[in-house]
Amino acid sequence: MSYSLGPGPMTPAVRAIIYTNIGVFLLTLVAPDFIISQFGLTPKAVLQHGYVWQPVTYLFVHSPGGLSHILFNMLAVWMFGVDRSE
């Protein structure tokens, strides 16, 4: 008999997404203005200044004061991103 916690094992991609989100969240705590201005989505910066990475990187930027927000986001990623092939 074996026991496990949660809906199933995490895939490497889910683990990478969670670690990246946590890392960017911690960086945002250290330098919020820089992280948000460079990696948050500002359409004007994308169109006029060529910040073409922002449509992808904004997905990882969370408000530095929103600890519950990132916790529930990572819980959802973990719950819906597991390998259910077992």
Coordinates of all heavy atoms in Angstrom, one line a residue:
M1 N 0.8 -1.2 0.0 CA 0.0 0.0 0.0 C 0.9 1.2 0.0 O 1.9 1.3 0.7 CB -0.9 0.0 1.3 CG -1.8 1.1 1.3 SD -2.8 1.3 2.8 CE -3.8 -0.2 2.7
S2 N 0.5 2.2 -0.8 CA 1.3 3.5 -0.8 C 0.4 4.7 -0.8 O -0.8 4.6 -1.2 CB 2.2 3.5 -2.1 OG 1.4 3.7 -3.2
Y3 N 0.9 5.8 -0.3 CA 0.1 7.0 -0.2 C 0.8 8.1 -0.9 O 2.0 8.1 -1.0 CB 0.0 7.4 1.3 CG -0.8 6.4 2.1 CD1 -0.1 5.5 2.9 CD2 -2.2 6.4 2.1 CE1 -0.8 4.5 3.6 CE2 -2.9 5.5 2.9 CZ -2.2 4.6 3.6 OH -2.9 3.7 4.4
S4 N 0.1 9.0 -1.4 CA 0.7 10.2 -2.1 C -0.1 11.4 -1.8 O -1.3 11.3 -1.4 CB 0.7 10.0 -3.6 OG -0.6 10.0 -4.2
L5 N 0.5 12.5 -1.9 CA -0.1 13.8 -1.6 C -0.5 14.5 -2.9 O 0.3 14.6 -3.8 CB 0.8 14.7 -0.8 CG 0.3 16.1 -0.5 CD1 -0.9 16.1 0.4 CD2 1.4 17.0 0.1
G6 N -1.7 14.9 -3.0 CA -2.1 15.7 -4.2 C -2.7 14.8 -5.3 O -2.9 13.6 -5.2
P7 N -3.0 15.5 -6.4 CA -3.7 14.8 -7.5 C -2.8 13.9 -8.4 O -3.3 13.1 -9.2 CB -4.2 16.0 -8.4 CG -3.3 17.1 -8.1 CD -2.8 16.9 -6.6
G8 N -1.5 14.0 -8.2 CA -0.6 13.1 -9.0 C 0.8 13.8 -9.1 O 1.0 14.8 -8.6
P9 N 1.7 13.1 -9.7 CA 3.1 13.6 -9.8 C 3.2 14.8 -10.8 O 2.5 14.9 -11.8 CB 3.9 12.4 -10.4 CG 2.9 11.6 -11.1 CD 1.6 11.7 -10.4
M10 N 4.0 15.7 -10.4 CA 4.3 16.9 -11.2 C 5.1 16.6 -12.4 O 6.1 15.8 -12.3 CB 5.0 18.0 -10.5 CG 4.0 18.9 -9.7 SD 4.9 20.5 -9.2 CE 5.9 19.9 -7.9
T11 N 4.8 17.1 -13.6 CA 5.7 16.9 -14.7 C 6.8 17.9 -14.6 O 6.7 18.9 -13.9 CB 4.9 17.2 -16.0 OG1 4.4 18.6 -16.0 CG2 3.7 16.3 -16.2
P12 N 7.9 17.7 -15.4 CA 9.0 18.7 -15.4 C 8.6 20.1 -15.8 O 9.1 21.1 -15.3 CB 10.0 18.1 -16.3 CG 9.7 16.6 -16.3 CD 8.2 16.5 -16.1
A13 N 7.7 20.1 -16.7 CA 7.2 21.5 -17.2 C 6.4 22.2 -16.1 O 6.6 23.4 -15.9 CB 6.3 21.3 -18.5
V14 N 5.6 21.5 -15.4 CA 4.8 22.1 -14.3 C 5.8 22.6 -13.2 O 5.7 23.7 -12.7 CB 3.8 21.2 -13.7 CG1 3.2 21.7 -12.4 CG2 2.7 21.0 -14.8
R15 N 6.8 21.8 -12.9 CA 7.8 22.1 -11.9 C 8.6 23.4 -12.4 O 8.8 24.3 -11.6 CB 8.7 21.0 -11.7 CG 9.7 21.2 -10.5 CD 10.5 19.9 -10.2 NE 9.7 18.9 -9.7 CZ 9.4 17.7 -10.3 NH1 10.0 17.5 -11.4 NH2 8.6 16.8 -9.8
A16 N 8.9 23.5 -13.6 CA 9.6 24.6 -14.1 C 8.8 25.9 -14.1 O 9.3 27.0 -13.7 CB 10.1 24.4 -15.6
I17 N 7.5 25.8 -14.4 CA 6.6 26.9 -14.4 C 6.5 27.4 -12.9 O 6.5 28.6 -12.7 CB 5.2 26.6 -15.0 CG1 5.3 26.4 -16.5 CG2 4.2 27.6 -14.6 CD1 4.1 25.8 -17.1
I18 N 6.3 26.5 -12.0 CA 6.1 26.9 -10.6 C 7.4 27.6 -10.1 O 7.4 28.6 -9.4 CB 5.7 25.7 -9.7 CG1 4.3 25.3 -10.1 CG2 5.9 26.0 -8.2 CD1 3.8 24.1 -9.4
Y19 N 8.6 26.9 -10.3 CA 9.8 27.5 -9.9 C 10.1 28.9 -10.5 O 10.6 29.8 -9.8 CB 11.0 26.6 -10.2 CG 11.0 25.3 -9.3 CD1 11.8 24.2 -9.7 CD2 10.3 25.3 -8.1 CE1 11.8 23.1 -8.9 CE2 10.3 24.1 -7.3 CZ 11.1 23.0 -7.7 OH 11.1 21.9 -7.0
T20 N 9.8 29.0 -11.8 CA 10.0 30.3 -12.5 C 9.1 31.4 -11.9 O 9.5 32.5 -11.6 CB 9.7 30.2 -14.0 OG1 10.6 29.2 -14.5 CG2 9.9 31.5 -14.7
N21 N 7.8 31.1 -11.6 CA 6.9 32.0 -11.0 C 7.4 32.4 -9.6 O 7.3 33.6 -9.3 CB 5.5 31.4 -10.9 CG 4.7 31.7 -12.1 OD1 4.3 32.8 -12.3 ND2 4.4 30.7 -12.9
I22 N 7.8 31.5 -8.8 CA 8.3 31.8 -7.5 C 9.6 32.7 -7.6 O 9.7 33.7 -6.8 CB 8.5 30.5 -6.7 CG1 7.2 29.9 -6.3 CG2 9.3 30.8 -5.4 CD1 7.3 28.5 -5.8
G23 N 10.5 32.4 -8.5 CA 11.7 33.1 -8.6 C 11.4 34.6 -9.1 O 12.0 35.5 -8.5
V24 N 10.5 34.7 -10.0 CA 10.2 36.1 -10.5 C 9.4 36.8 -9.4 O 9.7 38.1 -9.2 CB 9.3 36.1 -11.8 CG1 8.8 37.4 -12.1 CG2 10.2 35.5 -12.9
F25 N 8.6 36.2 -8.6 CA 7.9 36.8 -7.5 C 8.9 37.3 -6.5 O 8.8 38.5 -6.0 CB 7.0 35.8 -6.8 CG 6.3 36.4 -5.6 CD1 5.2 37.3 -5.7 CD2 6.6 36.0 -4.3 CE1 4.6 37.8 -4.6 CE2 6.0 36.5 -3.2 CZ 5.0 37.4 -3.4
L26 N 9.9 36.5 -6.1 CA 11.0 36.9 -5.2 C 11.8 38.1 -5.7 O 12.1 39.0 -5.0 CB 11.9 35.8 -4.8 CG 11.2 34.7 -4.0 CD1 12.2 33.5 -3.9 CD2 10.7 35.2 -2.7
L27 N 12.1 38.1 -7.0 CA 12.8 39.2 -7.6 C 11.9 40.5 -7.6 O 12.5 41.6 -7.4 CB 13.2 38.9 -9.1 CG 14.3 37.9 -9.3 CD1 14.4 37.6 -10.8 CD2 15.6 38.5 -8.8
T28 N 10.6 40.3 -7.8 CA 9.7 41.5 -7.7 C 9.7 42.1 -6.3 O 9.5 43.3 -6.2 CB 8.3 41.1 -8.1 OG1 8.4 40.5 -9.4 CG2 7.4 42.2 -8.2
L29 N 9.9 41.3 -5.3 CA 10.0 41.8 -3.9 C 11.2 42.7 -3.7 O 11.2 43.7 -3.0 CB 10.0 40.6 -2.9 CG 8.8 39.8 -2.7 CD1 9.0 38.7 -1.8 CD2 7.6 40.7 -2.2
V30 N 12.3 42.3 -4.4 CA 13.6 43.1 -4.3 C 13.6 44.3 -5.2 O 14.0 45.4 -4.7 CB 14.7 42.1 -4.7 CG1 16.0 42.9 -4.7 CG2 14.8 40.9 -3.8
A31 N 13.1 44.2 -6.4 CA 13.1 45.4 -7.3 C 11.8 45.5 -8.1 O 11.7 45.2 -9.3 CB 14.3 45.2 -8.3
P32 N 10.7 45.8 -7.4 CA 9.4 45.8 -8.1 C 9.3 46.7 -9.3 O 8.7 46.3 -10.3 CB 8.4 46.2 -7.0 CG 9.3 46.9 -5.9 CD 10.6 46.3 -6.0
D33 N 9.8 47.9 -9.2 CA 9.6 48.9 -10.3 C 10.3 48.4 -11.6 O 9.8 48.5 -12.7 CB 10.2 50.3 -9.9 CG 9.3 50.9 -8.8 OD1 8.1 50.6 -8.7 OD2 9.9 51.8 -8.1
F34 N 11.5 47.9 -11.4 CA 12.3 47.4 -12.6 C 11.6 46.2 -13.2 O 11.4 46.1 -14.4 CB 13.7 47.0 -12.2 CG 14.5 46.4 -13.3 CD1 15.0 47.2 -14.3 CD2 14.7 45.0 -13.3 CE1 15.7 46.6 -15.4 CE2 15.4 44.5 -14.4 CZ 15.9 45.3 -15.4
I35 N 11.2 45.2 -12.4 CA 10.6 43.9 -12.9 C 9.3 44.2 -13.6 O 9.1 43.8 -14.7 CB 10.5 42.9 -11.7 CG1 11.8 42.5 -11.1 CG2 9.7 41.7 -12.2 CD1 12.7 41.7 -12.1
I36 N 8.5 45.0 -12.9 CA 7.2 45.3 -13.5 C 7.3 46.2 -14.8 O 6.6 45.9 -15.8 CB 6.3 46.0 -12.5 CG1 5.9 45.0 -11.4 CG2 5.0 46.5 -13.1 CD1 5.2 45.6 -10.2
S37 N 8.2 47.1 -14.8 CA 8.4 48.0 -16.0 C 9.0 47.2 -17.2 O 8.7 47.5 -18.3 CB 9.2 49.2 -15.7 OG 10.5 48.9 -15.5
Q38 N 9.9 46.3 -16.9 CA 10.6 45.6 -18.0 C 9.9 44.3 -18.4 O 9.9 44.0 -19.6 CB 12.0 45.2 -17.5 CG 12.9 46.4 -17.3 CD 13.1 47.2 -18.6 OE1 13.5 46.6 -19.6 NE2 12.9 48.5 -18.6
F39 N 9.2 43.6 -17.5 CA 8.6 42.3 -17.8 C 7.1 42.3 -17.7 O 6.5 41.3 -18.2 CB 9.3 41.3 -16.9 CG 10.8 41.2 -17.1 CD1 11.6 41.7 -16.1 CD2 11.3 40.7 -18.2 CE1 13.0 41.6 -16.2 CE2 12.7 40.6 -18.4 CZ 13.5 41.1 -17.4
G40 N 6.5 43.3 -17.1 CA 5.0 43.4 -17.1 C 4.6 43.8 -18.5 O 5.4 44.4 -19.2
L41 N 3.3 43.6 -18.8 CA 2.9 44.0 -20.2 C 2.4 45.4 -20.3 O 1.5 45.8 -19.6 CB 1.7 43.0 -20.6 CG 1.2 43.2 -22.0 CD1 2.3 43.0 -23.0 CD2 0.0 42.3 -22.3
T42 N 3.1 46.2 -21.1 CA 2.7 47.5 -21.4 C 2.6 47.6 -23.0 O 3.7 47.6 -23.6 CB 3.7 48.5 -20.9 OG1 3.9 48.3 -19.5 CG2 3.3 50.0 -21.1
P43 N 1.4 47.6 -23.5 CA 1.3 47.6 -25.0 C 2.1 48.7 -25.7 O 2.7 48.5 -26.8 CB -0.2 47.7 -25.2 CG -0.8 47.1 -24.0 CD 0.1 47.5 -22.9
K44 N 2.1 49.9 -25.1 CA 2.8 51.0 -25.7 C 4.3 50.6 -25.8 O 5.0 50.9 -26.8 CB 2.6 52.3 -24.9 CG 3.3 53.5 -25.5 CD 3.0 54.7 -24.7 CE 3.7 55.9 -25.2 NZ 3.5 57.1 -24.4
A45 N 4.9 50.0 -24.8 CA 6.3 49.7 -24.8 C 6.6 48.6 -25.8 O 7.6 48.6 -26.5 CB 6.7 49.2 -23.4
V46 N 5.6 47.7 -26.0 CA 5.8 46.6 -27.0 C 5.8 47.2 -28.4 O 6.7 46.9 -29.3 CB 4.7 45.5 -26.9 CG1 4.8 44.5 -28.0 CG2 4.8 44.8 -25.5
L47 N 4.8 48.1 -28.7 CA 4.6 48.6 -30.0 C 5.6 49.7 -30.4 O 6.1 49.8 -31.5 CB 3.2 49.1 -30.2 CG 2.1 48.0 -30.1 CD1 0.7 48.7 -30.1 CD2 2.2 47.0 -31.2
Q48 N 5.9 50.6 -29.5 CA 6.7 51.7 -29.8 C 8.2 51.6 -29.4 O 9.0 52.2 -30.0 CB 6.2 53.0 -29.1 CG 4.8 53.4 -29.6 CD 4.3 54.6 -28.9 OE1 4.8 55.2 -28.0 NE2 3.1 55.1 -29.4
H49 N 8.5 50.7 -28.5 CA 9.9 50.6 -28.0 C 10.5 49.2 -28.3 O 11.6 49.0 -27.9 CB 10.0 51.0 -26.5 CG 9.5 52.4 -26.2 ND1 10.2 53.5 -26.7 CD2 8.4 52.8 -25.6 CE1 9.5 54.6 -26.3 NE2 8.4 54.2 -25.6
G50 N 9.7 48.3 -28.8 CA 10.2 47.0 -29.2 C 10.4 46.0 -28.1 O 11.2 45.1 -28.2
Y51 N 9.7 46.2 -27.0 CA 9.8 45.2 -25.9 C 9.0 44.0 -26.2 O 8.0 43.6 -25.6 CB 9.2 45.9 -24.6 CG 10.1 46.9 -24.0 CD1 11.1 47.6 -24.7 CD2 9.9 47.3 -22.6 CE1 11.8 48.6 -24.1 CE2 10.7 48.3 -22.0 CZ 11.7 48.9 -22.8 OH 12.4 49.9 -22.2
V52 N 9.4 43.2 -27.2 CA 8.7 42.1 -27.7 C 8.6 40.9 -26.8 O 7.8 40.0 -27.0 CB 9.3 41.7 -29.1 CG1 9.1 42.8 -30.1 CG2 10.7 41.3 -28.9
W53 N 9.4 40.9 -25.7 CA 9.3 39.8 -24.7 C 8.2 39.9 -23.8 O 7.8 39.0 -23.1 CB 10.6 39.7 -24.0 CG 10.9 41.0 -23.2 CD1 10.5 41.4 -22.0 CD2 11.7 42.1 -23.7 NE1 11.0 42.6 -21.6 CE2 11.7 43.1 -22.7 CE3 12.4 42.4 -24.9 CZ2 12.4 44.3 -22.8 CZ3 13.0 43.6 -25.0 CH2 13.0 44.5 -24.0
Q54 N 7.6 41.1 -23.6 CA 6.6 41.3 -22.6 C 5.3 40.5 -22.8 O 4.7 40.1 -21.8 CB 6.2 42.8 -22.6 CG 7.3 43.7 -21.9 CD 6.8 45.1 -21.6 OE1 5.8 45.6 -22.1 NE2 7.6 45.8 -20.8
P55 N 4.8 40.2 -24.0 CA 3.6 39.3 -24.1 C 3.8 37.9 -23.5 O 2.9 37.2 -23.2 CB 3.4 39.3 -25.6 CG 3.9 40.5 -26.1 CD 5.2 40.8 -25.3
V56 N 5.1 37.5 -23.3 CA 5.4 36.2 -22.7 C 5.7 36.4 -21.2 O 5.2 35.7 -20.4 CB 6.5 35.5 -23.5 CG1 6.9 34.2 -22.8 CG2 6.1 35.2 -24.9
T57 N 6.6 37.3 -20.9 CA 7.1 37.4 -19.6 C 6.1 38.0 -18.6 O 6.2 37.7 -17.4 CB 8.3 38.3 -19.5 OG1 8.0 39.6 -20.0 CG2 9.5 37.7 -20.3
Y58 N 5.1 38.7 -19.1 CA 4.1 39.2 -18.1 C 3.3 38.1 -17.4 O 2.8 38.3 -16.3 CB 3.1 40.2 -18.8 CG 1.9 39.5 -19.4 CD1 0.7 39.5 -18.7 CD2 1.9 38.9 -20.6 CE1 -0.5 38.9 -19.2 CE2 0.8 38.3 -21.2 CZ -0.4 38.3 -20.5 OH -1.5 37.7 -21.0
L59 N 3.3 36.9 -18.0 CA 2.6 35.8 -17.3 C 3.2 35.4 -16.0 O 2.6 34.8 -15.2 CB 2.6 34.6 -18.3 CG 1.9 34.8 -19.6 CD1 2.3 33.6 -20.6 CD2 0.4 34.9 -19.4
F60 N 4.5 35.7 -15.8 CA 5.2 35.3 -14.6 C 5.3 36.5 -13.6 O 5.8 36.2 -12.5 CB 6.6 34.9 -15.0 CG 6.6 33.7 -15.9 CD1 6.8 33.8 -17.3 CD2 6.4 32.4 -15.4 CE1 6.8 32.7 -18.1 CE2 6.4 31.3 -16.2 CZ 6.6 31.5 -17.6
V61 N 4.9 37.7 -13.9 CA 5.0 38.8 -13.0 C 3.7 38.9 -12.1 O 2.6 38.9 -12.7 CB 5.2 40.1 -13.8 CG1 5.2 41.3 -12.9 CG2 6.4 40.1 -14.6
H62 N 3.9 38.9 -10.8 CA 2.8 39.0 -9.9 C 3.1 40.2 -9.0 O 4.2 40.6 -8.7 CB 2.7 37.7 -9.0 CG 2.3 36.5 -9.7 ND1 3.1 35.8 -10.5 CD2 1.0 36.0 -9.8 CE1 2.4 34.8 -11.1 NE2 1.2 34.9 -10.7
S63 N 2.0 40.7 -8.4 CA 2.1 41.9 -7.5 C 3.0 41.5 -6.3 O 2.7 40.4 -5.7 CB 0.7 42.3 -7.1 OG 0.8 43.2 -6.0
P64 N 3.9 42.3 -5.9 CA 4.8 41.9 -4.7 C 4.0 41.8 -3.5 O 4.4 41.2 -2.5 CB 5.8 43.0 -4.7 CG 5.3 44.1 -5.5 CD 4.3 43.6 -6.5
G65 N 2.8 42.4 -3.4 CA 2.0 42.4 -2.2 C 1.0 41.3 -2.2 O 0.3 41.0 -1.2
G66 N 0.9 40.5 -3.3 CA -0.1 39.5 -3.5 C 0.3 38.1 -3.2 O 0.3 37.3 -4.1
L67 N 0.7 37.8 -2.0 CA 1.2 36.5 -1.6 C 0.1 35.5 -1.8 O 0.3 34.4 -2.4 CB 1.7 36.5 -0.2 CG 2.3 35.1 0.3 CD1 3.5 34.8 -0.6 CD2 2.7 35.2 1.7
S68 N -1.1 35.8 -1.4 CA -2.2 34.8 -1.6 C -2.5 34.6 -3.1 O -2.8 33.5 -3.5 CB -3.5 35.2 -0.9 OG -4.0 36.5 -1.4
H69 N -2.3 35.6 -3.9 CA -2.6 35.5 -5.3 C -1.6 34.5 -6.0 O -2.0 33.6 -6.7 CB -2.4 36.9 -6.0 CG -2.4 36.9 -7.5 ND1 -3.6 36.9 -8.2 CD2 -1.4 36.8 -8.4 CE1 -3.3 36.9 -9.5 NE2 -2.0 36.8 -9.6
I70 N -0.3 34.6 -5.7 CA 0.6 33.6 -6.3 C 0.5 32.3 -5.7 O 0.6 31.3 -6.4 CB 2.1 34.1 -6.2 CG1 3.0 33.3 -7.1 CG2 2.6 34.2 -4.8 CD1 4.4 33.8 -7.3
L71 N 0.1 32.2 -4.4 CA -0.1 30.8 -3.8 C -1.2 30.1 -4.5 O -1.1 28.9 -4.8 CB -0.3 31.0 -2.3 CG 0.9 31.3 -1.5 CD1 0.5 31.5 0.0 CD2 2.0 30.2 -1.6
F72 N -2.3 30.8 -4.7 CA -3.5 30.1 -5.3 C -3.2 29.9 -6.8 O -3.7 28.9 -7.3 CB -4.8 30.9 -5.1 CG -5.3 30.8 -3.7 CD1 -5.3 31.8 -2.8 CD2 -5.8 29.5 -3.3 CE1 -5.8 31.6 -1.5 CE2 -6.3 29.4 -2.0 CZ -6.3 30.4 -1.1
N73 N -2.5 30.7 -7.5 CA -2.1 30.5 -8.9 C -1.2 29.2 -9.0 O -1.5 28.4 -9.8 CB -1.3 31.6 -9.4 CG -2.2 32.8 -10.0 OD1 -1.6 33.7 -10.5 ND2 -3.5 32.7 -9.8
M74 N -0.2 29.1 -8.1 CA 0.6 27.9 -8.1 C -0.1 26.6 -7.7 O 0.2 25.6 -8.2 CB 1.9 28.1 -7.3 CG 2.8 29.3 -7.7 SD 3.2 29.2 -9.5 CE 2.0 30.3 -10.2
L75 N -1.1 26.8 -6.8 CA -1.9 25.6 -6.5 C -2.7 25.2 -7.7 O -2.8 24.0 -7.9 CB -2.8 26.0 -5.3 CG -3.8 24.9 -4.9 CD1 -3.1 23.7 -4.3 CD2 -4.8 25.5 -3.8
A76 N -3.2 26.1 -8.4 CA -4.0 25.8 -9.6 C -3.1 25.1 -10.7 O -3.5 24.1 -11.3 CB -4.7 27.0 -10.2
V77 N -1.9 25.7 -10.9 CA -1.0 25.1 -11.8 C -0.7 23.6 -11.4 O -0.6 22.7 -12.3 CB 0.3 25.9 -11.9 CG1 1.4 25.2 -12.7 CG2 0.0 27.3 -12.6
W78 N -0.4 23.4 -10.1 CA -0.1 22.1 -9.7 C -1.3 21.1 -9.8 O -1.1 20.0 -10.3 CB 0.3 22.2 -8.2 CG 0.5 20.9 -7.5 CD1 1.4 19.9 -7.9 CD2 -0.2 20.4 -6.4 NE1 1.3 18.8 -7.0 CE2 0.3 19.1 -6.1 CE3 -1.2 20.9 -5.6 CZ2 -0.1 18.4 -5.0 CZ3 -1.7 20.1 -4.5 CH2 -1.1 18.9 -4.3
M79 N -2.5 21.6 -9.5 CA -3.7 20.8 -9.5 C -4.0 20.4 -10.9 O -4.4 19.2 -11.2 CB -4.9 21.4 -8.9 CG -4.8 21.5 -7.4 SD -6.1 22.4 -6.6 CE -7.5 22.2 -7.6
F80 N -3.9 21.3 -11.9 CA -4.4 21.0 -13.2 C -3.2 20.6 -14.2 O -3.5 20.2 -15.3 CB -5.1 22.2 -13.8 CG -6.4 22.5 -13.1 CD1 -6.5 23.7 -12.3 CD2 -7.5 21.7 -13.1 CE1 -7.6 24.0 -11.6 CE2 -8.6 21.9 -12.4 CZ -8.7 23.1 -11.6
G81 N -2.0 20.6 -13.7 CA -0.9 20.3 -14.6 C -0.2 19.0 -14.2 O 1.0 18.8 -14.6
V82 N -0.8 18.2 -13.5 CA -0.2 16.9 -13.1 C -0.3 15.9 -14.2 O -1.2 16.0 -15.1 CB -0.8 16.4 -11.8 CG1 -0.5 17.3 -10.7 CG2 -2.2 16.1 -11.9
D83 N 0.5 14.9 -14.1 CA 0.5 13.7 -15.0 C -0.6 12.7 -14.6 O -0.4 12.1 -13.5 CB 1.8 13.1 -15.1 CG 1.9 11.9 -16.1 OD1 1.0 11.8 -16.9 OD2 2.9 11.2 -16.1
R84 N -1.7 12.6 -15.3 CA -2.8 11.7 -14.9 C -2.7 10.4 -15.6 O -3.7 9.7 -15.8 CB -4.1 12.4 -15.1 CG -4.2 13.6 -14.2 CD -5.7 14.1 -14.2 NE -5.8 15.3 -13.4 CZ -6.2 15.4 -12.2 NH1 -6.4 14.3 -11.5 NH2 -6.3 16.5 -11.6
S85 N -1.6 10.0 -16.2 CA -1.5 8.8 -17.0 C -1.5 7.5 -16.2 O -1.5 6.4 -16.7 CB -0.3 8.9 -17.9 OG 0.9 8.9 -17.2
E86 N -1.4 7.6 -14.9 CA -1.3 6.4 -14.1 C -2.6 5.7 -13.9 O -3.6 6.2 -13.9 CB -0.8 6.8 -12.7 CG 0.6 7.3 -12.7 CD 1.1 7.7 -11.3 OE1 0.5 7.4 -10.3 OE2 2.2 8.3 -11.3

